Amino acid sequence: MASQAETEHPNKAFGWAAQDTSGHLSPFNFSRRATGENDVAFKVLYCGICHSDLHMLKNEWGVSIYPLVPGHEIAGVVTEVGKNVQKFKVGDRVGVGCMVGSCHSCQSCSEDLENYCSKMILTYNAKYVDGTITYGGYSDSMVVDEQFVIRIPDNLPLDAAAPLLCAGITVYSPLKYYGLDKPGLHIGVVGLGGLGHMAVKFGKALGLKVTVISTSPSKKKEAIEHMGADSFVVSREQDEMMAVMGTFDGIIDTVSANHPLVPLIGLLKPHGKLVMVGAPEKPLEVPAFSLLMGRKLIGGSAIGGIKETQEMVDFAAKHGVKPDIEVIGMDYVNTAMERLLKADVKYRFVIDIGNTLKASS
């Protein structure tokens, strides 16, 4: 008997889903809504694997709804557009990131900051306006309101474009908002993973001096020779940390594991900014004096609005900023999740949906 997911919408769809907190992904038949007058329908060709997919698959944040089709770094080609769609046509190269809806009436929405709308609708594991649950990009097709679709320039490969839609905008937005985008400024990037390696690349493209701060000395060669970082500091080495005290205009902290912030605050110049884009589970401890002395700031940032995401993708295409990716087949996805858990990827898995989804079903 067909499940509700298969019958709630008119268009058949196929992907891989987790059915429970084991997080194990397997083939899944469901359905997509008909292309509405403001919708863009597209064939999914690539989808990046974000660390948050892993958390959601296993319900580590306590909000997962099963069956769950993850994926919010999605790139593909338009197959159909609604009658009111102005910005896209059949055949266009497009992408969708972390959100597919918002209220369009609040202050955040009016300022092109849909990502901070209290009614923002996530690309997967959220309730859409019609009451159905959203399913993400580990699937063959998407239907999305044109206001949440990103145009991907022709000179940016679709497989490399996909991770920009979450990892890319997550680090680009705080660099811009916190004024850390001026050539010559010195920024630190904590953690050289999916987010961190993008922060290094965008930082260098913006003309910044970039220092990677990591617990792993083994990443030094890669950071400097391959990513173009100016220097590398091992955070566990007291003398290395002391040597750069008070020299950073800002720090982008991408680490989601629990880690002390006080040593990082000490690296900032007066008026320096420590911006969190990782999400450690435990509350962070910050003595007030570490901020008072030097008028320092701790801030946060979450993805970016659609206008800024388009700006980021265009900037990446113009300046040749691309993530380091490992392209995998759909049937490898569970192994990829195990490797991601061990940080065994340089630096983003991207699923080749277009060539491997049907073959492995």
Side-chain angles (χ1 to χ4, degrees):
M1 194 175 126
S3 68
Q4 182 186 339
E6 284 181 82
T7 57
E8 64 189 1
H9 297 298
N11 294 339
K12 285 185 177 179
F14 177 71
W16 279 40
Q19 301 290 343
D20 53 46
T21 57
S22 71
H24 183 82
L25 290 153
S26 57
F28 176 63
N29 290 298
F30 65 107
S31 54
R32 294 283 188 198
R33 68 177 184 268
T35 307
E37 52 189 25
N38 300 311
D39 286 338
V40 173
F42 65 96
K43 176 180 170 60
V44 177
L45 296 179
Y46 294 98
C47 187
I49 297 181
C50 176
H51 212 283
S52 58
D53 296 346
L54 194 54
H55 292 294
M56 293 297 269
L57 284 170
K58 295 175 179 288
N59 194 29
E60 288 174 359
W61 291 333
V63 295
S64 299
I65 305 162
Y66 299 98
L68 187 149
V69 178
H72 59 207
E73 299 182 340
I74 313 164
V77 174
V78 176
T79 54
E80 186 182 15
V81 296
K83 66 177 184 179
N84 294 343
V85 171
Q86 301 286 319
K87 295 187 286 189
F88 302 98
K89 63 182 188 306
V90 172
D92 283 353
R93 306 162 86 248
V94 296
V96 166
C98 302
M99 55 186 171
V100 292
S102 68
C103 78
H104 302 300
S105 59
C106 68
Q107 184 175 343
S108 290
C109 286
S110 71
E111 294 173 353
D112 298 311
L113 294 169
E114 304 90 347
N115 49 315
Y116 299 122
C117 171
S118 63
K119 295 178 179 167
M120 185 254 283
I121 301 171
L122 295 171
T123 301
Y124 70 89
N125 195 63
K127 191 170 278 192
Y128 200 64
V129 289
D130 61 5
T132 62
I133 300 302
T134 57
Y135 295 121
Y138 293 20
S139 61
D140 58 3
S141 60
M142 294 288 294
V143 181
V144 180
D145 183 315
E146 79 162 324
Q147 289 185 274
F148 292 88
V149 179
I150 304 297
R151 178 179 300 283
I152 296 176
D154 290 340
N155 65 332
L156 191 60
L158 286 178
D159 55 359
L164 293 175
L165 301 169
C166 173
I169 188 60
T170 294
V171 297
Y172 180 89
S173 184
L175 288 171
K176 301 293 277 190
Y177 177 77
Y178 288 99
L180 299 173
D181 58 344
K182 312 292 185 289
L185 291 181
H186 184 197
I187 67 154
V189 174
V190 186
L192 193 67
L195 295 178
H197 94 290
M198 289 310 310
V200 174
K201 292 185 179 205
F202 275 117
K204 292 312 298 176
L206 288 162
L208 310 177
K209 180 184 176 186
V210 180
T211 297
V212 172
I213 302 162
S214 172
T215 57
S216 311
S218 59
K219 291 184 177 177
K220 180 173 183 175
K221 190 168 190 267
E222 182 106 1
I224 292 173
E225 293 181 11
H226 178 62
M227 305 286 172
D230 296 282
S231 53
F232 187 95
V233 173
V234 180
S235 56
R236 292 194 173 114
E237 296 293 337
Q238 200 66 35
D239 55 340
E240 291 189 29
M241 291 288 279
M242 288 297 292
V244 291
M245 287 277 282
T247 65
F248 293 84
D249 296 288
I251 294 173
I252 304 293
D253 187 345
T254 71
V255 175
S256 286
N258 294 310
H259 61 290
L261 296 191
V262 174
L264 299 175
I265 296 167
L267 301 183
L268 294 169
K269 294 177 182 175
H271 332 297
K273 298 157 187 172
L274 171 61
V275 186
M276 312 292 297
V277 294
E281 285 175 32
K282 290 183 180 168
L284 303 160
E285 198 168 288
V286 182
F289 269 108
S290 66
L291 300 178
L292 302 183
M293 306 314 289
R295 195 163 63 177
K296 296 173 184 180
L297 187 83
I298 295 182
S301 187
I303 55 171
I306 295 299
K307 183 181 177 184
E308 188 175 48
T309 302
Q310 186 66 64
E311 174 194 303
M312 176 274 306
V313 167
D314 293 344
F315 178 92
K318 182 179 177 183
H319 295 274
V321 177
K322 294 196 287 269
D324 288 20
I325 60 173
E326 181 178 335
V327 178
I328 62 168
M330 193 71 231
D331 55 357
Y332 187 77
V333 69
N334 288 303
T335 304
M337 290 296 174
E338 290 171 18
R339 284 180 53 194
L340 183 59
L341 196 57
K342 296 183 287 195
D344 175 24
V345 57
K346 290 184 175 175
Y347 280 87
R348 204 65 155 186
F349 285 118
V350 175
I351 308 167
D352 182 349
I353 301 282
N355 288 314
T356 69
L357 180 61
K358 287 188 173 61
S360 62
S361 62

